[in-house]
């Protein structure tokens, strides 16, 4: 069998939450079959299986936050879990077919004396998948990778799953039941090839009594298991207080006599608390870092976009735009990329460590999207090369994926400029915070009917008006550059024909 360790599906992610299992114990899976949805600090990601076989155990529950590198599922051949005869050699699957052995061990070295747990390989360091290590001492388990029987330790682990270590299950110290005599270890390194005879008057050793039922693995989050290992607490000895019998952090701290982490509670039943995690946690960290690293400057401009709305209506009538949604955001995105040609500082990055400004000759256009799990900013790669129709389709797909919570980390990496559309909420404007790694962000306000003075006739008329607000990094984008860019964008939004001059 093999354990699938939680991978780093993004850039430097350290943990992820189990959102939904797509498989159950006993299901047969194929390589690259989606087995679980996880929520990282950036998005919900579908994880494909790197193995094929039968699901032997789910090592994390829905709602668990699992550190990267921890096992989440065991997949293998269920035939490997059948009872093995006592004293029989343990062989990794495929070893016979390949004609090789496990490392340098011979089959005789792989035999295990069931009467001596210390000789069975049941010491600390092997992972018992789906079972509990009973009576284990206060020791820390080192990470050794997946519990695959392609190694000696893995083969011993397979024997653990088979229940071969009796009495008492796997342990790091010998356990002697009150009604069973002490069985001495064999005098030689090589274990006996045959089962030991029953006790006689001459004092011969006895065969181990029938193995006892090993209790099921206590339910606990990976972080709680790590805390238990740190304090040497056997989770099987802890009384769970969590929902559905889950051992909590406070349960472990109580077992070692440590004070529980203070929990903020309220006597007011109208209040409730939710943990900050996943996308929301990442958003909070990123916005705090950006706000206190890059000195923000925000400028506003109010624009009559009546002509732009008429232009968009003409686009909607064209046959090629029949299957896409044409919105003012499409025109604003195109206007931003055209205006960048005259103000390249907007599409650059300030490298503080190198003391350099990195100018980018491409535009990965990000669009901030509000989702039930928090704010995400996917971006359209190389948006500057797209025609209006292609850009419209890209924006449609990007926003639809974000709403479904299926935006992948790669779709949010490498952004160069961001638009946040607060107008969809009926908000006029705001002071947006720059997305980390970028130098500017444009806030698009609501389009409303307002009284407006016509510049040509000086008459008071009703027009469709919006407000644009640009925040930029004042370390290298000065007020002149920011103002020029914002004015150019407003010019195109005022009259799309002005785009011909860029």
């Amino acid at each position: 069998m093999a354990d699938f360790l939680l991978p780093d599906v993004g850039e430097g992610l350290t943990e992820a939450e189990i959102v939904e299992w797509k498989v159950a114990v006993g299901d047969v899976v194929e390589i690259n079959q989606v087995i679980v949805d996880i929520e990282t600090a950036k998005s919900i990601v579908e994880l494909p299986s790197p193995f094929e076989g039968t699901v032997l155990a789910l090592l994390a529950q829905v709602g668990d936050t699992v550190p990267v590198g921890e096992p989440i599922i065991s997949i293998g051949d269920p035939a490997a879990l059948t009872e093995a005869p006592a004293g029989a050699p343990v062989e990794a699957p495929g070893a016979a077919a390949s004609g090789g052995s496990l490392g340098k061990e011979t089959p005789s070295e792989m035999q295990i004396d069931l009467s001596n747990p210390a000789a069975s390989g049941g010491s600390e360091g092997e992972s018992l998948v789906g079972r509990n290590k009973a009576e284990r001492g206060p020791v820390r388990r080192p990470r050794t990778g997946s519990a695959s029987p392609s190694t000696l330790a893995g083969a011993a682990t397979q024997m653990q799953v088979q229940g071969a270590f009796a009495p008492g299950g796997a342990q790091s110290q010998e356990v002697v039941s009150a009604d069973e005599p002490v069985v001495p270890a064999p005098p030689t390194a090589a274990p006996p090839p045959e089962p030991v005879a029953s006790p006689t008057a001459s004092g011969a050793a006895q065969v181990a009594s029938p193995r006892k039922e090993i209790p099921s693995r206590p339910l606990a989050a990976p972080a709680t298991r790590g805390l238990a290992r740190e304090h040497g607490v056997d989770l099987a000895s802890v009384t769970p207080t969590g929902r559905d019998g889950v051992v909590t952090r406070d349960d472990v701290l109580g077992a070692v006599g440590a004070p529980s982490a203070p929990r903020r509670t309220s006597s007011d039943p109208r209040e409730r608390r939710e943990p900050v995690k996943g996308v929301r946690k990442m958003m909070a960290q990123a916005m705090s870092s950006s706000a206190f690293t890059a000195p923000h400057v925000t400028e506003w401009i109010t624009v009559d976009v009546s002509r732009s709305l008429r232009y968009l209506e003409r686009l909607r009538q064209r046959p090629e735009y029949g299957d896409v949604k044409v919105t003012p955001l499409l025109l604003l995105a195109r206007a931003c990329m055209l205006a960048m040609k005259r103000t390249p500082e907007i599409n650059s990055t300030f490298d503080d460590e190198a003391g350099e400004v990195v100018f980018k000759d491409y535009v990965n256009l990000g669009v901030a999207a509000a989702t039930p799990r928090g704010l995400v900013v996917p971006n359209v790669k190389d948006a500057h090369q797209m025609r209006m129709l292609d850009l419209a389709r890209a924006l449609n797909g990007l926003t639809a994926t974000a709403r479904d919570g299926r935006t992948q980390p790669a779709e949010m990496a490498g952004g160069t400029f961001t638009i946040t559309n607060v107008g969809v909420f009926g908000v006029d404007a705001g002071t947006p915070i720059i997305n980390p790694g970028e130098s500017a962000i444009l806030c698009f306000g609501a389009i409303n009917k307002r009284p407006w003075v016509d510049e040509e006739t000086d008459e008071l008329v009703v027009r469709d008006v919006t407000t644009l607000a640009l925040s930029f990094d004042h370390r290298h984008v000065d007020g002149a550059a920011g103002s020029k860019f914002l004015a150019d964008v407003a010019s195109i939004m005022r009259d799309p024909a002005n785009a011909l001059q860029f």
Side-chain angles (χ1 to χ4, degrees):
M1 61 183 175
D3 285 353
F4 179 23
L5 308 184
L6 180 68
D8 178 2
V9 295
E11 299 176 354
L13 298 178
T14 59
E15 62 184 17
E17 178 186 345
I18 304 298
V19 175
E20 179 184 3
W21 282 106
K22 302 294 187 180
V23 296
V25 175
D27 289 352
V28 177
V29 299
E30 300 177 351
I31 292 178
N32 291 331
Q33 176 182 338
V34 175
I35 57 175
V36 64
D37 286 349
I38 64 171
E39 182 181 3
T40 70
K42 296 185 176 181
S43 63
I44 293 182
V45 180
E46 296 178 337
L47 287 187
S49 172
F51 311 115
E52 62 179 4
T54 302
V55 177
L56 305 180
L58 302 180
L59 307 182
Q61 307 297 320
V62 172
D64 284 355
T65 299
V66 184
V68 169
E70 286 289 325
I72 58 174
I73 187 172
S74 287
I75 299 175
D77 183 359
L81 300 183
T82 58
E83 193 70 34
V90 179
E91 186 172 324
S98 63
S101 60
L102 298 174
K104 297 182 179 180
E105 293 79 2
T106 63
S108 63
E109 291 174 324
M110 295 298 294
Q111 294 173 335
I112 300 176
D113 182 5
L114 303 182
S115 65
N116 185 4
S120 69
S123 60
E124 188 59 34
E126 290 115 15
S127 172
L128 178 55
V129 178
R131 298 290 184 91
N132 175 53
K133 294 186 176 182
E135 305 294 336
R136 63 187 297 171
V139 291
R140 184 188 294 272
R141 182 190 69 182
R143 286 187 182 175
T144 56
S146 61
S148 171
S150 60
T151 63
L152 175 59
T157 301
Q158 179 174 304
M159 290 300 292
Q160 284 181 304
V161 179
Q162 293 171 355
F165 303 112
Q171 60 272 320
S172 56
Q173 298 177 353
E174 294 187 29
V175 178
V176 180
S177 302
D179 57 348
E180 294 175 344
V182 176
V183 181
T188 61
E194 300 293 337
V196 184
S198 300
T200 61
S202 61
Q206 71 166 19
V207 176
S209 60
R211 64 183 179 89
K212 299 177 181 179
E213 184 67 25
I214 300 177
S216 59
R217 187 172 186 249
L219 298 178
T224 304
R225 296 186 187 279
L227 182 66
R229 289 196 297 268
E230 179 180 346
H231 291 282
V233 175
D234 181 3
L235 289 178
S237 65
V238 177
T239 302
T241 61
R243 183 179 178 181
D244 297 328
V246 175
V247 178
T248 67
R249 176 185 177 86
D250 288 347
D251 296 337
V252 174
L253 294 176
V256 298
S260 300
R263 290 182 178 271
R264 289 184 172 270
T265 58
S266 173
S267 58
D268 192 335
R270 296 170 298 176
E271 295 182 355
R272 61 186 177 89
R273 292 180 176 271
E274 295 181 354
V276 179
K277 57 184 179 180
V279 174
R280 294 187 184 277
K281 182 177 180 180
M282 184 277 296
M283 178 188 68
Q285 294 171 344
M287 293 298 98
S288 297
S289 175
S290 176
F292 294 103
T293 300
H296 285 53
V297 171
T298 304
E299 297 182 340
W300 293 265
I301 189 169
T302 303
V303 187
D304 174 7
V305 293
S306 302
R307 292 180 180 177
S308 290
L309 295 186
R310 291 195 292 269
Y311 169 72
L312 293 175
E313 186 59 37
R314 290 195 299 271
L315 281 183
R316 296 187 186 101
Q317 304 304 319
R318 300 178 63 172
E320 60 268 33
Y321 285 87
D323 60 343
V324 295
K325 187 177 181 180
V326 178
T327 67
L329 177 63
L330 170 62
L331 183 58
L332 179 65
R334 185 62 180 164
C336 287
M337 287 181 288
L338 291 173
M340 286 176 191
K341 295 180 179 180
R342 301 211 311 184
T343 316
E345 294 90 344
I346 295 297
N347 195 48
S348 64
T349 300
F350 187 86
D351 189 337
D352 199 5
E353 294 183 0
E356 299 173 341
V357 176
V358 182
F359 291 88
K360 300 175 181 179
D361 296 328
Y362 60 93
V363 180
N364 289 343
L365 180 66
V367 177
T371 71
R373 296 182 178 272
L375 181 69
V376 296
V377 188
N379 60 78
V380 178
K381 309 298 183 186
D382 294 323
H384 65 291
Q385 296 179 343
M386 295 183 177
R387 299 178 304 152
M388 285 282 286
L389 180 58
D390 296 331
L391 184 60
R393 288 173 174 164
L395 290 173
N396 287 177
L398 177 146
T399 53
T401 302
R403 283 195 302 268
D404 294 339
R406 297 295 175 181
T407 303
Q408 300 303 301
E411 295 174 302
M412 293 185 285
T416 64
F417 179 81
T418 297
I419 298 175
T420 177
N421 185 8
V422 300
V424 296
F425 305 108
V427 175
D428 291 335
T431 56
I433 297 178
I434 302 168
N435 204 30
E438 301 175 10
S439 292
I441 179 172
L442 184 66
C443 179
F444 188 17
I447 300 176
N448 297 312
K449 297 284 187 181
R450 298 182 188 177
W452 193 261
V453 177
D454 189 285
E455 295 179 357
E456 297 179 356
T457 64
D458 287 336
E459 294 180 356
L460 188 63
V461 294
V462 176
R463 289 284 191 261
D464 293 298
V465 178
T466 189
T467 299
L468 305 177
L470 177 73
S471 291
F472 52 90
D473 186 345
H474 210 7
R475 288 177 298 180
H476 68 291
V477 181
D478 56 31
S483 300
K484 181 179 179 180
F485 172 80
L486 186 57
D488 285 343
V489 172
S491 173
I492 298 175
M493 293 300 293
R494 186 177 298 109
D495 187 354
N498 290 331
L500 296 176
Q501 62 182 312
F502 291 91

